[in-house]
Amino acid sequence: KILGGRQPDELNRQQMRVLFALADRIPWQYRLVCWAHWLKVAEEDGQPLEGCEAAAPETCRRQIEKDVPRTRPGDLNEKQRAALGRVLLRFSVLRPKVGYCQGLNFIVAVQLLAGLTEKQTLGGLKSLTDNYCEGYYEESMRGLLRDIAVLDALLLLLLPKIHARFAEVDLPLLWIAAEPLLTLFSRELKNIESICRLWDFFLIEGPCAPFAVFL
């Protein structure tokens, strides 16, 4: 009834919120269309990315080779692992200020498991790192430190007792918030459907959504 003969990507944000709430989750056949639309990645031919390895920095290539086999080994098949490596290598060439940072591998894996092509996944990685993780993967990690400071202020405002307890036991918020933010919660949750449902929420609500999930 909500769709009314329309495609999911034709719904506005409020209508998607209703669909998300009533259906409890976005069905897989709609998710692929919606994610591609929200991440602004066009339909691609599905061909693998070529010429990635030769142009990638050596340090990035070595670390990617180590991380690919240990990224969701129970979920990714051999073809998807190869795609994971190619996307990460190409990203390291396109974004030399970032190169490769651990955490990106889990973000790529979720998109591949959701059914995006390699080229769409590369575009999605650029979109997610620009809009949700801006400045996280630079050497200074300025964006991550900025957002953890925001989380700290929100925690003090909304959950002051928990904030006080963290201070009492001398537990820096950085220690517990860094990995969920760097991976967009894609490492902590083991079930891929749970991660995808969380990302549905992120993509519908925008860059403020991870703060709400953390709190």
Side-chain angles (χ1 to χ4, degrees):
K1 290 181 180 180
I2 298 172
L3 288 174
R6 294 168 293 178
Q7 292 298 313
D9 59 343
E10 296 175 22
L11 302 180
N12 62 37
R13 193 174 297 274
Q14 185 58 41
Q15 290 167 329
M16 285 305 307
R17 288 190 182 109
V18 174
L19 178 63
F20 188 64
L22 293 180
D24 189 49
R25 65 179 181 85
I26 295 176
W28 279 101
Q29 67 268 31
Y30 297 153
R31 179 175 283 140
L32 186 58
V33 175
C34 289
W35 281 22
H37 176 69
W38 293 331
L39 292 169
K40 296 179 173 59
V41 292
E43 290 188 21
E44 298 286 354
D45 55 19
Q47 295 300 312
L49 296 167
E50 301 292 348
C52 306
E53 186 169 347
E58 178 67 17
T59 53
C60 295
R61 186 181 60 78
R62 288 201 303 266
Q63 190 60 54
I64 290 169
E65 287 177 352
K66 292 178 182 178
D67 286 348
V68 164
R70 54 195 182 196
T71 303
R72 303 195 72 86
D75 295 320
L76 294 170
N77 58 36
E78 185 175 348
K79 183 178 178 180
Q80 289 169 325
R81 282 194 295 272
L84 170 63
R86 287 191 293 267
V87 171
L88 292 172
L89 287 167
R90 178 62 62 85
F91 183 82
S92 73
V93 174
L94 295 175
R95 298 292 172 87
K97 286 183 66 176
V98 174
Y100 171 68
C101 180
Q102 288 177 311
L104 295 173
N105 49 322
F106 289 97
I107 293 175
V108 170
V110 172
Q111 295 179 82
L112 292 171
L113 288 167
L116 296 182
T117 67
E118 288 183 38
K119 293 177 182 178
Q120 286 178 319
T121 298
L122 177 62
L125 180 60
K126 291 189 288 185
S127 177
L128 289 166
T129 54
D130 287 347
N131 295 301
Y132 291 79
C133 309
E134 191 275 325
Y136 282 19
Y137 308 103
E138 296 175 7
E139 187 174 353
S140 66
M141 303 185 83
R142 60 171 180 83
L144 180 66
L145 296 176
R146 174 201 64 219
D147 284 357
I148 288 178
V150 172
L151 268 179
D152 187 70
L154 290 171
L155 194 65
L156 178 60
L157 177 66
L158 301 173
L159 300 167
K161 291 183 179 179
I162 294 178
H163 187 278
R165 181 58 178 162
F166 282 171
E168 182 182 339
V169 299
D170 195 24
L171 177 62
L173 191 58
L174 177 67
W175 289 8
I176 58 175
E179 186 170 284
L181 293 178
L182 284 168
T183 65
L184 291 177
F185 295 83
S186 60
R187 186 173 184 179
E188 289 71 20
L189 295 174
K190 302 305 180 185
N191 182 276
I192 188 63
E193 171 59 34
S194 298
I195 298 171
C196 287
R197 173 158 165 71
L198 191 62
W199 279 29
D200 292 339
F201 173 64
F202 288 170
L203 294 171
I204 290 171
E205 298 297 339
C208 291
F211 294 96
V213 170
F214 187 86
L215 294 171

